[in-house]
Amino acid sequence: MSQAKRIVLASRPHGEPKASDFRLEEYAAPTPAAGEVLLRTIWLSLDPYMRGRMNDGPSYAQPVPIGGVMEGGTVSEVIASNNPGFAKGDIVLSRAGWQTHALSDGNGLAKIDPKIAPISTAVGVLGMPGMTAYTGLLDIGKPQAGETVVVAAASGAVGSAVGQIAKIKGARAVGIAGGKEKCDYVKNEFGFDECLDHRDPNLAAKLKEACPKGIDVYFENVGGAVFEAVFPRLNFFARIPVCGLIAHYNNTEAVAPKWASVMMRDVLTKRLNIRGFIVSDFAARHGDFLRDMSGWFREGKIKHKEFVTEGLDSAPGAFMGLLKGANFGKQLVRIGPDKA
Ligand SMILES: NC(=O)c1ccc[n+]([C@@H]2O[C@H](COP(=O)([O-])OP(=O)(O)OC[C@H]3O[C@@H](n4cnc5c(N)ncnc54)[C@H](OP(=O)(O)O)[C@@H]3O)[C@@H](O)[C@H]2O)c1
């Protein structure tokens, strides 16, 4: 019987997660019962939402219980099947979590065709982050040709796709990212018109220069100081899809907005449309997303960048890094080879 490994939540973090909040466990790989398949994880996707699952408190999803396997999307191979819907060797999108093996009754598994694109894209540009960018930008942001779209975490999984889709729609794309290397990549490889460093003390002034006609769509990924720099530059009737607030995920206390009254005055007078969303709200758009995004990907109009760490043991460190910008592209963990 082969050995399996999993990473469980050992304790709930207070502020930044630390290594001791995770525990690596080894156990014998399970055997599938009637109707079940045994999965071997190839790629584990690490995503910022996992920080929320480590907290116990009201949210849109259940927290991971203490001692429970950390949640996560995976690309996995069926290595044994007692389910007529799946054959040994099938590659599937699963929510197997932070572990090398998992049992499934087949519910929620989606087969991946390795001929269409590299299989890792099923948790990246052609998966949940890509769909988040596509629906948040097109269904809430509604960019028009000639308008200006601003997005932060612009070298990351969601932000990089937001800017490239904005360009496809004829808009000006301005990214915000951490450091010169990321900003250069966002401009030169992802084709944004401009990219600014959020650590630059003159961010507000640089933003004014980079957006001479103001901002029509602000795709909110981070909050914090970036939001404060962007907000005064929003145009009348601007749209703000609120996708994520990663600058605040480790906060231990709610921060009282000092200028809430000023902000709400602008929401009113500028008729701003601020709308939060979770990608699953747009499940009905999945077919449109796959058609458009895989077409753009094939045509080279949408590029992606992956940032890979090796082995399940690397997942906690990689995840802690993701919350601080240590990743440069879609954060993945390679758990096993593409072909066993
Ligand atoms: N609503 C939904 O359904 C949904 C779905 C997927 C993702 N999201 C959200 O979308 C956002 C991006 O997710 P992703 O998967 O694409 O992650 P990502 O951009 O690949 O990685 C996170 C990035 O956030 C940036 N960051 C961290 N702290 C920051 C701070 N204080 N100020 C500015 N930037 C900071 C870092 O980039 P820099 O080095 O450039 O700072 C880091 O690389 C997250 O907020 C996530 O929660 C929401």
Side-chain angles (χ1 to χ4, degrees), residues 264-321:
M264 291 312 280
R265 188 198 59 209
D266 275 11
V267 170
L268 171 66
T269 57
K270 290 187 174 174
R271 283 79 123 198
L272 303 178
N273 183 1
I274 303 180
R275 184 180 152 193
F277 74 102
I278 301 297
V279 59
S280 52
D281 300 344
F282 294 104
R285 293 270 279 145
H286 193 243
D288 299 334
F289 158 70
L290 277 183
R291 181 200 61 222
D292 288 347
M293 205 68 165
S294 45
W296 294 331
F297 186 75
R298 258 196 318 273
E299 293 160 20
K301 289 185 182 157
I302 291 274
K303 295 184 181 156
H304 73 138
K305 181 174 187 346
E306 296 179 337
F307 188 79
V308 177
T309 61
E310 300 290 338
L312 185 66
D313 312 29
S314 73
F319 177 65
M320 291 185 280

Side-chain angles (χ1 to χ4, degrees), residues 48 132 156-158 177-178 182 198 221-222 243-244 247 249 277-279 322 327:
T132 303
V158 175
K182 286 186 178 179
H198 64 79
N221 271 339
V222 307
C243 173
Y249 290 173
F277 74 102
I278 301 297
V279 59
L322 170 77
N327 64 308

Side-chain angles (χ1 to χ4, degrees), residues 46-49 128-129 132 152-159 176-178 182 198-199 221-222 226 242-247 249 277-280 322-327 329-331:
L46 295 181
D47 299 274
Y49 73 82
M128 184 279 285
T132 303
S155 69
V158 175
I176 298 174
K182 286 186 178 179
H198 64 79
R199 296 190 203 112
N221 271 339
V222 307
V226 173
V242 181
C243 173
L245 297 166
I246 195 165
Y249 290 173
F277 74 102
I278 301 297
V279 59
S280 52
L322 170 77
L323 297 173
K324 294 189 278 204
N327 64 308
K330 166 67 204 153
Q331 178 71 61

